[in-house]
Amino acid sequence: IKMYGYITDVDICNLALNYLGKGSIESLDERSELARTCKLHYDRYRRMALTATTWGFALKTQPLKKLDVEIPGYKAIYEYPDTALELVRVYEKEDAERKMDYRNSFYLQQGPDGGRALCTNEEFEEPYVDLIEDVEDTTLFTDGFIEALSHYLAYGMAQALTGSESKAQTEMQYYNMSLQQEAFRNERERKREPHWPTRYFDGRF
């Protein structure tokens, strides 16, 4: 796993405070208005930023566990992964090479035991899921995510700390720009050279 550098949640909060023209904090637990506001908003905005686009460091693949329960209207019930913020796709293990083509429908609801359950009308022999994980370890954050999260956090705290709607909107614009840049980077990295399986093309070129 690539370590992108030693940065903490406090560092990210201080970036957000800097964007707002405020001071800095040394700890989220210190007794100050800035620290209390950062602590109130940080985790919520971190989770929302993680699901805003596809961040590679937060994308995880793992098997699904089938539950021995029944919910009327569904053929199969699976355990919802504990660390998942959002599910991307469910697919058969043997078809993993084609998983980008999967458009399976799945539904989330409360299971018989009170926890969340993943419900489908398809039964898989070896079900796998791609999910967005609730990543808390800041050393795994990419520079792009740090930039996006700090602006998003600044947006969330702007009204409380500055009382400025225009400042909040400015930070939202920077946040959206960060997401667009990440989407562009993902598209660029995923581009592949086209494969031309014709004898004519192979012979000519």
Side-chain angles (χ1 to χ4, degrees):
I1 297 175
K2 181 178 180 181
M3 305 290 280
Y4 282 87
Y6 185 74
I7 190 167
T8 67
D9 50 3
V10 172
D11 294 327
I12 294 171
C13 288
N14 282 332
L15 279 173
L17 293 172
N18 180 262
Y19 297 149
L20 296 176
K22 294 296 179 178
S24 61
I25 61 174
E26 294 185 3
S27 167
L28 289 173
D29 294 319
E30 69 184 42
R31 295 182 177 181
S32 69
E33 179 188 9
L34 296 182
R36 286 193 297 270
T37 305
C38 287
K39 188 172 183 178
L40 177 65
H41 289 82
Y42 176 79
D43 271 330
R44 183 162 59 93
Y45 279 86
R46 175 187 58 80
R47 291 192 297 268
M48 290 191 293
L50 282 168
T51 59
T53 189
T54 304
W55 305 99
F57 70 89
L59 189 62
K60 182 179 181 180
T61 298
Q62 68 180 56
L64 278 174
K65 178 183 178 182
K66 188 174 182 180
L67 298 177
D68 187 21
V69 298
E70 292 185 4
I71 296 179
Y74 301 108
K75 292 181 179 179
I77 312 298
Y78 298 97
E79 184 178 75
Y80 191 91
D82 289 339
T83 61
L85 287 176
E86 187 175 287
L87 305 186
V88 178
R89 66 182 66 86
V90 177
Y91 53 92
E92 189 72 63
K93 180 182 179 181
E94 66 177 18
D95 293 334
E97 292 183 357
R98 300 189 304 106
K99 67 181 181 180
M100 296 298 290
D101 298 331
Y102 267 77
R103 296 294 184 270
N104 300 103
S105 295
F106 55 85
Y107 307 89
L108 305 179
Q109 69 175 65
Q110 184 172 309
D113 63 350
R116 285 188 295 179
L118 190 160
C119 312
T120 78
N121 280 314
E122 298 185 47
E123 294 189 73
F124 301 98
E125 291 295 326
E126 291 187 88
Y128 269 69
V129 62
D130 288 350
L131 57 86
I132 303 299
E133 190 170 34
D134 186 7
V135 180
E136 299 183 42
D137 185 353
T138 56
T139 64
L140 300 179
F141 293 173
T142 61
D143 289 341
F145 181 74
I146 292 168
E147 181 73 5
L149 175 56
S150 56
H151 282 299
Y152 200 21
L153 185 57
Y155 159 77
M157 300 191 299
Q159 283 283 13
L161 296 181
T162 71
S164 171
E165 178 66 25
S166 62
K167 188 64 176 174
Q169 292 305 315
T170 297
E171 291 305 314
M172 175 56 75
Q173 290 173 5
Y174 281 125
Y175 170 64
N176 285 329
M177 287 172 57
S178 298
L179 295 183
Q180 291 171 6
Q181 290 172 355
E182 180 65 15
F184 176 76
R185 187 189 66 79
N186 284 338
E187 181 65 22
R188 183 179 58 202
E189 287 187 345
R190 292 173 184 174
K191 282 185 177 179
R192 297 290 184 270
E193 291 299 320
H195 175 63
W196 304 93
T198 64
R199 292 183 179 179
Y200 170 79
F201 188 90
D202 292 342
R204 185 171 177 82
F205 297 98

